[in-house]
Amino acid sequence: MRRIFRHGMYLALIAASAIASASDTLSAPAIAPELSRMNVWVGHWQSKTEVLNTPYSEAASVSSEMTCSWSPNHGFVLCDHLMHGPEGVTNSLSVYTYDERDKVYKFFGVEKDSYPREVPMQVKGNVWSFGTEVQNQDKTIMFLTSDEFVSDTSMRFRTEFSDDNGAHWKELNQGELTKIG
């Protein structure tokens, strides 16, 4: 009986050693430096936004909370937003990723009461910017948002619009996010 027990223990030790050796040779897939750069978004943020009175917005003060984290497989940063504005609370989701084939950052925005959108991003230094176009009757309105990370815990943003094909830009909103966790 002791011999069977010792034989079983011996096999268990060999199996455990084999698993330990195999785990030393297995490693997580390498994360592209461009993806790692998105760590700047990760955390819990609060923001204050001043929206200006324009043909496309009404003047208002808006506050929001945003929680950003990596997706389980580390391919996306997911940001869940709760915005508190004059019309109540709205919830939206932002998804940031890097397309290694096309060498471009991408932003996907999903709002509960609207359609999803995909927007290429430009990243230059500590400024992340993206533009969108919206058809308004017979006019195309261009929007440009710039997010400037001024530190690990602070980001300033600004959105401008143009209704004359980019010849003139006017401010739509501006604000600041502060990382609180």
Side-chain angles (χ1 to χ4, degrees):
M1 182 76 158
R2 279 187 165 169
R3 196 169 134 193
I4 293 172
F5 178 74
R6 270 189 281 149
H7 185 66
M9 287 298 292
Y10 178 72
L11 289 175
L13 285 172
I14 291 174
S17 295
I19 290 170
S21 294
S23 68
D24 288 344
T25 59
L26 297 176
S27 62
I31 297 168
E34 294 84 1
L35 277 173
S36 294
R37 193 169 186 193
M38 294 189 311
N39 273 328
V40 70
W41 292 99
V42 175
H44 186 92
W45 299 82
Q46 287 184 336
S47 76
K48 297 283 185 197
T49 305
E50 290 303 316
V51 180
L52 302 175
N53 196 29
T54 74
Y56 311 106
S57 61
E58 292 182 22
S61 289
V62 178
S63 64
S64 69
E65 299 170 47
M66 178 173 80
T67 302
C68 300
S69 59
W70 281 102
S71 63
N73 294 314
H74 215 79
F76 304 88
V77 170
L78 310 171
C79 297
D80 189 2
H81 305 261
L82 281 178
M83 290 175 251
H84 309 274
E87 308 207 356
V89 177
T90 59
N91 186 214
S92 65
L93 180 71
S94 296
V95 179
Y96 298 91
T97 191
Y98 182 74
D99 181 337
E100 291 183 44
R101 184 188 62 211
D102 292 338
K103 307 288 186 230
V104 65
Y105 287 92
K106 289 185 179 179
F107 164 84
F108 299 87
V110 181
E111 296 181 24
K112 291 174 110 180
D113 301 327
S114 186
Y115 57 90
R117 62 192 195 285
E118 174 186 348
V119 181
M121 295 189 76
Q122 292 183 349
V123 180
K124 293 182 182 172
N126 61 341
V127 178
W128 297 62
S129 58
F130 59 93
T132 57
E133 294 182 357
V134 175
Q135 197 63 36
N136 185 13
Q137 296 169 350
D138 62 342
K139 238 184 207 186
T140 300
I141 313 304
M142 300 167 69
F143 294 91
L144 177 63
T145 299
S146 296
D147 300 330
E148 178 184 9
F149 288 90
V150 293
S151 74
D152 291 342
T153 59
S154 180
M155 187 261 279
R156 288 189 213 127
F157 59 91
R158 174 184 173 110
T159 302
E160 300 173 299
F161 72 92
S162 173
D163 53 13
D164 59 5
N165 203 29
H168 301 92
W169 290 89
K170 299 172 190 156
E171 186 176 15
L172 182 81
N173 67 40
Q174 66 174 328
E176 185 169 346
L177 277 107
T178 303
K179 188 183 284 190
I180 59 170

